[in-house]
């Protein structure tokens, strides 16, 4: 800009600039094995912050470790606020004093779990995808949530492998977007659920039904 010889008038126009909102703080997880870029990071943070899932140690979450049946029931028991229970679950393999004992007793008393039918619950057995669907389905019914949604699973080539008791549950869970296929053609009802996968399912469930 070259200043002219004659008199000039400079006018200024002031425009308000909207401030950009500050970014939301990132949950500060203590787990060294949960990278912030991981597809399950938000779900793990959600479950950890809401007291649904803890770490396998002070610094590890073990996202790829399978989740047991006892742990799943314990998570729902925590979600329910850990209500007081009286008596035992009645399962021969659920000993008093185990971390899951009260949870299994509560779930059994409210029809959320029924065990294997042989007197055992299998608390340390890995939870399968169809078992997870069935337990969530019964818990949703116990809470009075709408469980009428039902997806057509015939597009999955392994739909015939779903146990009869779990068919309505998996149809509901798939319709609600809680449990998707493991591929475009498989739903893997007998596949085990890792801790990362379970965290994602739980977050979807809680957000879908405003459970927290």
């Amino acid at each position: 800009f070259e200043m002219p010889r004659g008199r000039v008038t400079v006018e200024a126009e002031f425009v308000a600039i909207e401030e950009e909102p500050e970014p939301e703080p990132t949950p500060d997880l203590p787990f060294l094995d949960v990278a912030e870029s991981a597809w399950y990071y938000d779900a793990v943070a959600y479950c950890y912050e809401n007291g649904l899932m803890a770490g396998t140690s002070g610094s590890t979450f073990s996202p790829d470790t399978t989740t047991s049946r006892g742990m799943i029931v314990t998570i729902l028991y925590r979600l329910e606020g850990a209500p007081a229970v009286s008596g035992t679950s009645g399962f021969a393999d659920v000993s008093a004093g185990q971390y899951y004992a009260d949870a299994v007793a509560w779930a059994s008393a409210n029809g959320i779990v029924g065990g294997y039918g042989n007197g055992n619950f299998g608390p340390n057995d890995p939870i399968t995808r169809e078992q997870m669907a069935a337990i969530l389905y019964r818990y949703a019914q116990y809470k009075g949530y709408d469980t009428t949604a039902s997806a057509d699973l015939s597009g999955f080539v392994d739909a015939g492998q779903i146990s009869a008791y779990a068919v309505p549950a998996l149809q509901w869970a798939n319709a609600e977007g809680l449990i998707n296929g493991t591929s475009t053609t498989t739903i893997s009802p007998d596949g085990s659920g890792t801790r990362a996968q379970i965290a994602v399912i739980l977050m979807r469930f809680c957000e879908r039904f405003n459970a927290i």
Side-chain angles (χ1 to χ4, degrees), residues 62-85:
S62 304
D64 297 323
T65 301
T66 55
T67 310
S68 69
R69 287 165 52 84
M71 188 68 240
I72 291 299
V73 176
T74 300
I75 290 170
L76 293 182
Y77 182 61
R78 292 171 182 166
L79 181 60
E80 193 61 19
V85 296

Side-chain angles (χ1 to χ4, degrees), residues 31 101 105 129 132 188 197 211:
F31 310 126
R129 287 164 56 83
M132 180 66 185
S188 306
Q197 292 168 343

Side-chain angles (χ1 to χ4, degrees), residues 128-130 133 151-162 166-167 169-175 178-192:
T128 66
R129 287 164 56 83
E130 68 175 14
D152 180 6
L153 303 180
S154 61
F156 296 110
V157 296
D158 56 354
Q161 299 174 18
I162 303 172
V167 170
L170 259 179
Q171 289 174 327
W172 164 80
N174 185 255
L178 306 179
I179 298 179
N180 300 320
T182 50
S183 74
T184 56
T185 58
T186 57
I187 196 163
S188 306
D190 290 333
S192 58

